[in-house]
Amino acid sequence: MVIMKLLAYVPILTPRIRYIFNFIFNDVLKTQIGFSSNLAEFKASTLPKISYADQPVGDELFFKNTDLLLSHAIVKTSFKTTAFGDTIVPFAVTGSTLPFDLFAASFYFISRYEEYLPFHPDADGHYPPEYSLQSKLKLLQIPVIDAWALILKNILLKKHPNLFFEKKNFDFIPLICMYPGTSSSDGLFKTTVNLLRKVTAVLRKDKTEDRKAKDIQAFVNGVHEPYRIKARFFFKPSQDEDHECDGQINLPQSYLQLLKAGTVNDYRMGYKHTTGFRAGTCTPFPWYDLQLEKTTHLIVHPVAINDGSLSNDKHIRIVPTLAQWKNIVDTVKLLEGKLHMTWHQDTLINSGKGRTARKLYTEMLSNFLSLPNDIRPQ
């Protein structure tokens, strides 16, 4: 079978355009995309075509551009919003296949563009989720880039039914941080003290902590076994870690530090106390350095749910929590994406509130995952 590549006409191929097109078409949709800025070449090509410009070339699928992807600056961006289905979306345009610039909106979210602009941080100096455009447009609970990409795929297939898209599969990846989480109310001094205690405990190879860690690993591996899934465990401190899973990020400093240290994966792109998709996607993506306008080799694995979002009181409410999480899980399943969920050692201990958390964890698996060879409809 000859695999046909999609050809995109762009008058100017900027680093931002190349990045977001490659992500949407190659990483999310699993097809191939090529670019042309030569009108004669584009017109003569027999490949399936789209254009991303201020006006169409011919009868190809035309997506009207806005200024964001043509720029090399980080400035406050003005845009209009419009209705799209049951949602409100940014970067509205007219005379286009879609009523908004899907590529600019996707880039705005995935690059975390708004986090480079001045904002009032929360008590711990982090970006508040309620400030995000996704939150304001009620899109935070949806991996909108993947959802928009699926709509784009259907539009493409209607015009080019022979266009090839590789099969994708839903994947559930629990991230287990084998050290306590830090509360947002800890403050800098208490956080530093807690960190020193963690380091001291590891250096002393505290036997109680060892037993606790082994018990948690046994629990997690045991409840995962029927579903044939494996958790990714994180142990700190370690000189051999090539990834991060705990704490919150401040852009671009956090990722620049990881790149300098030679880190290749990050598992913190989420909000500690709020569920949702901080970067608007459920697909791992290479971090785009907005300051240098370049794609980096740091792969960001977005986290949709963090146990920091659980109630801080003595009782975890299992039923409403599962109901909230179900909407997220069902959406990621539909989009055949990857669901990353972060849990901490102090949440899953086998005592007190930890026992309720273990029950929540077990019921989550039975509610959201089907057993291998289970022929019941899902």
Side-chain angles (χ1 to χ4, degrees):
M1 180 180 69
V2 177
I3 297 178
M4 302 180 72
K5 178 187 287 188
L6 184 66
L7 183 63
Y9 172 72
V10 289
I12 302 174
L13 181 56
T14 66
R16 293 181 181 185
I17 291 175
R18 183 186 294 276
Y19 170 80
I20 198 61
F21 273 62
N22 281 336
F23 174 69
I24 289 175
F25 289 104
N26 296 346
D27 297 343
V28 179
L29 293 181
K30 298 294 183 182
T31 190
Q32 295 184 27
I33 184 77
F35 302 95
S36 175
S37 296
N38 185 307
L39 269 177
E41 175 188 68
F42 181 75
K43 289 178 179 178
S45 175
T46 58
L47 292 172
K49 304 177 202 176
I50 65 171
S51 61
Y52 182 68
D54 59 358
Q55 60 184 11
V57 175
D59 64 349
E60 80 285 353
L61 288 172
F62 167 64
F63 298 90
K64 188 174 180 61
N65 63 17
T66 52
D67 293 336
L68 182 66
L69 301 187
L70 304 177
S71 173
H72 298 281
I74 307 173
V75 294
K76 187 172 181 179
T77 305
S78 60
F79 51 79
K80 296 178 180 179
T81 59
T82 187
F84 184 58
D86 296 329
T87 63
I88 302 297
V89 294
F91 296 92
V93 294
T94 57
S96 176
T97 299
L98 290 171
F100 72 111
D101 186 343
L102 177 154
F103 303 103
S106 297
F107 181 82
Y108 188 85
F109 291 154
I110 201 170
S111 70
R112 301 309 305 129
Y113 192 96
E114 59 198 1
E115 296 190 36
Y116 287 77
L117 303 174
F119 64 87
H120 296 290
D122 63 17
D124 295 312
H126 301 302
Y127 187 81
E130 61 270 19
Y131 285 10
S132 72
L133 183 58
Q134 293 108 300
S135 180
K136 292 173 181 176
L137 297 180
K138 297 182 172 26
L139 298 174
L140 186 59
Q141 302 298 309
I142 311 166
V144 287
I145 299 175
D146 303 74
W148 294 337
L150 181 59
I151 294 170
L152 178 59
K153 175 182 176 180
N154 291 331
I155 292 171
L156 287 166
L157 283 174
K158 188 173 181 180
K159 189 173 181 69
H160 305 289
N162 294 325
L163 199 57
F164 176 78
F165 295 90
E166 186 180 329
K167 173 66 177 163
K168 292 171 59 181
N169 293 298
F170 166 74
D171 199 7
F172 175 68
I173 307 105
L175 311 171
I176 313 296
C177 297
M178 299 300 291
Y179 41 91
T182 53
S183 168
S184 63
S185 59
D186 281 349
L188 179 61
F189 175 75
K190 190 173 179 181
T191 299
T192 304
V193 171
N194 287 340
L195 179 61
L196 290 173
R197 285 175 179 167
K198 295 175 204 172
V199 173
T200 303
V202 172
L203 293 177
R204 290 177 179 171
K205 295 184 178 179
D206 186 281
K207 291 184 179 180
T208 302
E209 290 298 314
D210 259 1
R211 285 196 298 270
K212 184 190 298 181
K214 287 178 181 177
D215 175 68
I216 291 171
Q217 285 179 274
F219 163 74
V220 170
N221 290 333
V223 294
H224 282 178
E225 187 175 4
Y227 303 94
R228 298 181 188 172
I229 59 174
K230 290 185 178 180
R232 184 179 289 271
F233 289 93
F234 296 81
F235 299 89
K236 288 283 185 177
S238 170
Q239 298 299 317
D240 301 322
E241 290 285 359
D242 71 339
H243 43 239
E244 294 282 343
C245 92
D246 190 39
Q248 298 189 57
I249 57 173
N250 290 312
L251 293 174
Q253 297 88 346
S254 297
Y255 284 170
L256 291 175
Q257 290 170 0
L258 294 188
L259 286 169
K260 185 177 181 180
T263 301
V264 296
N265 292 290
D266 179 79
Y267 295 83
R268 296 174 297 166
M269 180 53 76
Y271 295 114
K272 181 130 185 173
H273 303 289
T274 303
T275 60
F277 300 87
R278 182 171 178 173
T281 182
C282 56
T283 301
F285 58 92
W287 178 56
Y288 188 86
D289 187 337
L290 268 174
Q291 292 181 321
L292 295 180
E293 292 291 353
K294 63 177 286 189
T295 304
T296 71
H297 64 264
L298 176 66
I299 302 300
V300 179
H301 303 261
V303 176
I305 301 170
N306 191 305
D307 62 4
S309 65
L310 295 174
S311 172
N312 287 324
D313 59 26
K314 294 181 179 180
H315 304 287
I316 295 173
R317 298 184 300 164
I318 292 179
V319 173
T321 298
L322 288 177
Q324 181 193 29
W325 290 358
K326 185 178 188 302
N327 292 329
I328 289 178
V329 176
D330 286 348
T331 302
V332 178
K333 279 184 177 180
L334 175 67
L335 297 170
E336 298 173 328
K338 300 189 182 301
L339 180 68
H340 292 84
M341 176 182 286
T342 301
W343 293 78
H344 290 84
Q345 172 181 284
D346 51 357
T347 305
L348 292 172
I349 57 175
N350 191 22
S351 62
K353 186 177 174 181
R355 289 185 179 139
T356 307
R358 288 191 176 198
K359 183 179 179 182
L360 171 65
Y361 197 102
T362 304
E363 291 195 19
M364 172 192 72
L365 296 178
S366 64
N367 274 275
F368 300 154
L369 301 180
S370 59
L371 292 169
N373 306 316
D374 188 343
I375 61 173
R376 291 175 298 173
Q378 295 297 315

